[in-house]
Structures are given as structure tokens and as C-alpha cells.
Amino acid sequence: MTTTPTALLVHGAFADAGSWAGVVAELQNHGIPVLAPPNPLRGLASDAAYIASLAAQIDGPVVLVGHSYGGAVITVAGAAENVVGLVYIAAYVPEEGESLGELQGRFPLSPLVSNLKEWTYPVEGGQTAVEVTIEAEAFPGIFAADVPAPVTKALSVSQRPLSTSVFDETAAAAAWQTKPSWALVAGADEAINPEVERFGAKRAGATTVELEGASHAVAVSRPKEVADLIRDAIRATS
């Protein structure tokens, strides 16, 4: 008897697990077990350790799915023994020893970079660290240009901030070197340059699809197409 892998969906920055709602519904309608946990967004090593720990506690095989920064997280967390595949959705796909800053720096910067708002938060020892969100007025065009305006307004005010430390941390592992991968490129992405997505997917040897006109919030705007790619990965690894 074959065991259907569980799809573990990892959101990225400026979003939360609710951004997977449409994808979750599609997968559940096809009988695929799915889990969409919160991604702490505090540091690449710590976030990956958290996701890897969750994956290790799931009975049976797991396919990790990462959106945006979540792609970097699953690249490292995918080293967990029961992870059998990786799916990148409009995501970073770093190499072992490479930081997101280095990967992104290979290509022209997206409009996101000049439209970030800095915040601070307390850390141990009475110190403060810096986190970022997208400026409210820039959020619709950069993150979710193909999402209905009322939904975009809600997404804008419910952003999960990302610690700026993640851009300098290097990936401790690259699970795509030993495990099969799939990738979806959002053709009209203004948060991550689509060339960054294409480069990472090609380097990883990922089975790749590209959605023309899709924004960074492709999991919200095009949940069926996202779920279809995840289903391909589930079928291939069952």
C-alpha cells in the first residue's frame, strides 16, 4: 500500500497561513492530507528548524511547499528524513552556503526593495532587531495586483513582518540537491524578480511551470493552478 504524502505548506513574508486557504481547499477536495503552519519569519536557520521539526512529527512522507521566502525555508528544512519532495511557489531557491541577498543580487532588484517599512522588535539581552513590511500604499501593486481589491486591503493590514536578518543568513543545506523539486514562476511578480525564480528553479533541476500575468500572491489569485502543481509532486512521490 502506498502512502499519500502530506503537503506541508510554508508561507513567506508579508503573509500568513491563511494565504493558502484556496490551495488547502483544492487539495482537500482531492483527498490530499495538508498542513499549513505559521512560519515564524525570525531567521532562516530557526525557521527551517521549526518546519523540519513539524515535518518529522508527521506520520509518513511529506512534500514541503514554500511560497516566497518560504522557499528558502523548505530548501533547508527539506533535509528532514521523511521529506520526499519540494515545491517552490514564486519562491527563492538558494544554494547551500548562499544567502538570499546574494541570490537576489544576481539580478535587478524588484520594486519591493524600495517600498519596505522598517519596524523594531525586542530580542534577548534588552536589544532590538529590525523587521520589515511592505508600505501600505505600495502593497496592492507589488504583492497582489491580480487579487480583488477588498481582499488586498485585508492582506495589506494583516502582513506578517520579516526579520531583516534572513537576507544575510546562508542556507545550511539545499535539499533540492538530493530530492525532486517542482517550481511555479509568477510571471508578473513585483516582489521577487521572476528571473530570480527562473534561475533558482533551473539550477535545482525543478519541473517548472510559469503563469503569465500572475502576481506574487499567486496562491491567493490562482489556487487551482498552484494546487495542480502540488498534486503533480504528490503523485510523483507517492
Side-chain angles (χ1 to χ4, degrees):
M1 180 184 296
T2 59
T3 301
T4 300
T6 296
L8 198 164
L9 314 181
V10 182
H11 69 81
F14 322 126
D16 61 21
S19 62
W20 292 113
V23 176
V24 168
E26 289 283 344
L27 295 175
Q28 290 179 333
N29 286 341
H30 286 88
I32 294 171
V34 58
L35 184 65
N39 180 1
L41 306 179
R42 297 293 81 169
L44 180 53
S46 60
D47 294 342
Y50 175 70
I51 295 300
S53 174
L54 284 178
Q57 295 174 69
I58 294 173
D59 290 333
V62 171
V63 168
L64 289 180
V65 183
H67 173 246
S68 189
Y69 162 68
V73 175
I74 70 168
T75 294
V76 179
E81 187 174 343
N82 64 327
V83 173
V84 294
L86 309 165
V87 183
Y88 294 93
I89 307 298
Y92 293 111
V93 189
E95 171 66 277
E96 182 177 355
E98 182 179 57
S99 71
L100 294 188
E102 291 169 336
L103 173 56
Q104 195 165 254
R106 295 170 180 259
F107 302 91
L109 295 178
S110 73
L112 171 72
V113 179
S114 59
N115 286 280
L116 294 174
K117 179 177 175 60
E118 291 192 352
W119 308 77
T120 60
Y121 64 97
V123 292
E124 290 184 11
Q127 304 297 309
T128 59
V130 178
E131 61 186 11
V132 289
T133 57
I134 302 173
E135 292 280 7
E137 65 275 9
F139 184 89
I142 288 175
F143 198 87
D146 58 350
V147 175
V151 177
T152 303
K153 287 181 180 179
L155 294 175
S156 178
V157 299
S158 59
Q159 294 182 58
R160 289 280 306 280
L162 175 69
S163 172
T164 57
S165 67
V166 305
F167 292 102
D168 297 321
E169 280 191 69
T170 57
W176 51 259
Q177 293 178 335
T178 57
K179 298 178 181 182
S181 59
W182 290 257
L184 185 150
V185 175
D189 201 330
E190 295 288 334
I192 299 177
N193 184 337
E195 287 296 331
V196 175
E197 299 171 20
R198 295 182 190 109
F199 171 80
K202 182 177 181 180
R203 183 171 61 179
T207 300
T208 304
V209 298
E210 180 160 345
L211 296 184
E212 185 178 350
S215 76
H216 193 61
V218 63
V220 178
S221 63
R222 311 276 284 271
K224 183 182 184 303
E225 289 94 329
V226 171
D228 284 347
L229 185 64
I230 297 170
R231 288 172 58 209
D232 287 347
I234 294 291
R235 283 194 292 264
T237 54
S238 294

